């Protein structure tokens, strides 16, 4: 047998972490890495946060799982916390981002297929270079052919418009359009914030045509950008929103949030999940929200993000052949490179023990835990400087 016991779908690298300490990962051979990837925007409280660990420990000892056939005091508490802190009136909990986006897609379709709706409206307009997950619906929602190959047929009902191009989105609208599904700040696509004009334009088109504006905030949500959710930067609200990654701080958790109006089709029996909203996940989510959903914490993320960005902008000026510019918001930053970002990301990882994430559009993602401070930023710039100085892009 030559296939590995772990299905070989990931090009796994030689870093094999066995322990996490605050902003560092420790490999099985003892090597310490500075983790400015955070499990791809997941470990927002770092790796050994006492509050999060304590909450999970206490809940594990008390009650880990019960069926959604029973009442859920833990789910009600976290849902209320999210409702109190966002545009939403109601929340469905999932175990992952893709499931949260799936729920969002179903919610948008059900809005139109519910009584009083227009059942022709079944299509979502989505955007180029989007990433929404790896289930059949979520790969179908992305135009990226590398995710489609081998998995045909795709799920019908998605039209791809160019990201950040309002006119293109408008030109694809028809009497079949149910709404728009968009990452307000693209993550995998290269830390690309949608322009104000684009996001406001989508909101307006949705309002004028009774369409659903669905945000995928799986990567940009939960304090990462200095707001609890990125839509707050734009001064508008979505109708439906998928959240995950940071929301469990490392424990698998996702959520689909919606207004009462948008959720009108999601009635008894229409959707479900065995694990979704289990007490253990709710305890983790509550610990994360208690830590991050405060004005002080969010102001700190904004302030740290400004500082990190200013230092990055100054730094990249030393290597004009390597780096182009910095973009993003808060502690969701991307360095747009003048060369492919992947070889540089590998070089930083293997030769300088600095973990970042490569992304589309020649971008290096810098996603520190939100609890990183000046000591970690100093270490980051030491490693990044050494890495840039020793990197030969032509090799
Ligand atoms: C990671 C991600 C997803 C998928 O989340 P999973 O938990 O891997 O299913 C969906 N949308 C965006 C924007 C993401 O970054």
């Amino acid at each position: 047998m030559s296939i590995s016991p772990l299905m070989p779908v990931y090009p796994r690298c030689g870093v094999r972490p066995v322990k996490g300490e605050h902003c560092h990962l420790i490999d099985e051979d003892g090597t310490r890495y500075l983790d400015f990837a955070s499990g791809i925007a997941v470990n927002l409280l770092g790796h050994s946060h006492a509050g999060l660990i304590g909450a999970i420990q206490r809940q594990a000892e008390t009650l880990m799982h019960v069926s959604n056939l029973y009442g859920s005091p833990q789910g009600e508490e976290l849902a209320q916390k999210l409702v109190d802190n966002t545009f939403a009136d109601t929340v469905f909990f999932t175990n992952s981002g893709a499931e949260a986006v799936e729920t969002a897609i179903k919610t948008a379709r059900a809005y139109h297929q519910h009584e009083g709706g227009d059942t022709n409206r079944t299509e979502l307009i989505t955007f180029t270079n989007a990433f929404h997950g790896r289930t059949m619906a979520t790969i179908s929602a992305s135009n990226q052919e590398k995710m489609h190959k081998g998995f045909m047929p795709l799920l019908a009902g998605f039209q791809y418009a160019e990201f950040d191009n309002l006119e293109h989105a408008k030109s694809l609208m028809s009497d079949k359009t149910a709404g728009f599904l968009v990452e307000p700040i693209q993550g995998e696509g290269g830390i690309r914030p949608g322009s104000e004009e684009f996001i406001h334009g989508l909101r307006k088109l949705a309002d004028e045509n009774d369409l659903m504006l669905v945000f995928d905030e799986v990567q940009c949500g939960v304090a990462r950008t200095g707001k609890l959710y990125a839509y707050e930067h734009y001064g508008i609200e979505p109708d439906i929103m998928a959240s995950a990654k940071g929301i469990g701080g490392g424990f698998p958790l996702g959520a689909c949030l919606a207004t009462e109006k948008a959720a009108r089709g999601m009635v008894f029996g229409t959707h479900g999940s065995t694990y979704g909203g289990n007490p253990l996940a709710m305890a983790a989510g509550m610990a994360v929200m208690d830590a991050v959903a405060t004005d002080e914490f969010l102001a700190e993320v904004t302030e740290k993000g400004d500082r990190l960005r200013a230092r990055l902008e100054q730094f990249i000026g030393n290597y004009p052949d390597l780096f182009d510019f910095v973009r993003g918001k808060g502690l969701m930053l991307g360095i747009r490179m003048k060369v492919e970002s992947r070889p540089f990301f590998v070089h930083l990882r293997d030769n300088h023990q600095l973990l970042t994430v490569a992304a589309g559009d020649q971008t290096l993602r810098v996603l520190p835990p939100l609890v990183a401070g000046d000591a970690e930023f100093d270490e980051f710039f030491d490693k990044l400087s050494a890495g840039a100085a020793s990197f030969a892009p032509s090799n």
Side-chain angles (χ1 to χ4, degrees):
M1 207 153 328
S2 65
I3 193 165
S4 53
L6 262 184
M7 196 181 275
V9 294
Y10 283 107
R12 292 177 187 276
C13 70
V15 181
R16 298 167 61 82
V18 290
K19 189 172 169 54
E21 284 176 6
H22 194 51
C23 298
H24 289 85
L25 283 175
I26 296 118
D27 196 315
E28 61 186 358
D29 68 11
T31 310
R32 280 178 78 84
Y33 292 85
L34 179 65
D35 185 8
F36 272 32
S38 305
I40 316 190
V42 169
N43 305 98
L44 38 66
L45 301 176
H47 291 286
S48 49
H49 188 270
L52 180 57
I53 293 169
I56 292 172
Q57 268 175 349
R58 280 191 303 278
Q59 190 61 47
E61 286 165 2
T62 313
L63 178 66
M64 266 194 253
H65 172 83
V66 292
S67 167
N68 282 312
L69 295 171
Y70 307 116
S72 173
Q74 308 84 5
E76 285 165 8
E77 188 188 0
L78 183 56
Q80 186 66 55
K81 182 94 179 171
L82 287 165
V83 165
D84 289 344
N85 283 279
T86 67
F87 75 98
D89 302 313
T90 191
V91 183
F92 182 89
F93 290 111
T94 68
N95 311 291
S96 69
E99 285 171 88
V101 179
E102 285 269 351
T103 309
I105 293 167
K106 286 180 74 174
T107 304
R109 285 186 172 185
Y111 172 78
H112 295 290
Q113 289 172 42
H114 189 67
E115 248 178 63
D118 177 351
T119 55
N120 277 329
R121 295 196 173 277
T122 56
E123 290 184 355
L124 286 170
I125 295 175
T126 64
F127 295 89
T128 51
N129 299 315
F131 182 80
H132 297 299
R134 294 293 200 143
T135 62
M136 282 309 306
T138 55
I139 63 173
S140 303
S142 172
N143 77 320
Q144 295 194 55
E145 279 169 16
K146 64 178 186 218
M147 295 198 292
H148 299 162
K149 203 165 167 279
F151 301 114
M152 305 311 256
L154 299 181
L155 185 72
F158 299 98
Q159 299 261 3
Y160 313 131
E162 197 187 323
F163 182 69
D164 219 13
N165 184 335
L166 186 63
E167 286 310 311
H168 193 205
K170 208 169 174 175
S171 74
L172 293 180
M173 287 173 63
S174 73
D175 56 10
K176 286 189 179 162
T177 304
F180 306 99
L181 166 61
V182 66
E183 295 160 87
I185 306 176
Q186 283 194 336
E188 307 295 312
I191 313 288
R192 296 181 58 197
S195 65
E196 288 253 319
E197 183 199 13
F198 173 64
I199 299 292
H200 286 198
L202 292 180
R203 179 68 272 172
K204 190 155 173 276
L205 287 174
D207 288 340
E208 289 168 356
N209 298 281
D210 192 24
L211 308 181
M212 291 289 102
L213 181 59
V214 185
F215 278 4
D216 179 348
E217 292 221 21
V218 170
Q219 192 158 151
C220 60
V222 198
R224 174 63 45 195
T225 67
K227 302 278 189 194
L228 188 58
Y229 284 98
Y231 70 81
E232 299 169 48
H233 290 289
Y234 294 93
I236 54 99
E237 293 178 343
D239 302 297
I240 303 169
M241 181 177 78
S243 181
K245 291 207 163 94
I247 198 172
F251 195 89
L253 174 61
C256 174
L257 291 76
T259 63
E260 181 171 12
K261 182 183 172 197
R264 71 182 180 187
M266 302 303 278
V267 297
F268 288 142
T270 53
H271 195 49
S273 166
T274 296
Y275 288 135
N278 67 79
L280 195 52
M282 298 297 94
M286 208 56 211
V288 169
M289 287 298 288
D290 283 342
V292 308
T294 69
D295 292 343
E296 302 75 52
F297 187 89
L298 293 166
E300 229 173 81
V301 173
T302 301
E303 187 264 323
K304 286 179 195 177
D306 289 347
R307 252 188 302 153
L308 182 60
R309 187 190 187 118
R311 284 179 73 173
L312 270 176
E313 278 170 347
Q314 192 177 29
F315 166 79
I316 65 170
N318 301 329
Y319 296 92
D321 294 338
L322 207 50
F323 305 117
D324 204 350
F325 55 84
V326 180
R327 65 187 164 198
K329 285 190 198 300
L331 288 173
M332 184 182 190
L333 294 173
I335 309 174
R336 165 70 189 266
M337 298 188 64
K338 290 194 176 155
V339 296
E340 283 305 318
S341 61
R342 189 160 292 276
F344 186 59
F345 139 84
V346 169
H347 172 71
L348 292 175
R349 181 189 74 205
D350 293 348
N351 301 321
H352 298 278
Q353 292 71 52
L354 172 58
L355 304 179
T356 57
V357 199
D361 196 34
Q362 303 192 154
T363 303
L364 185 77
R365 271 181 281 182
V366 179
L367 302 167
L370 305 183
V371 294
D374 280 330
E376 289 78 28
F377 291 164
D378 289 347
E379 185 183 346
F380 171 72
F381 279 101
D382 286 348
K383 290 180 183 300
L384 185 67
S385 306
S390 59
F391 184 65
S394 52
N395 292 349

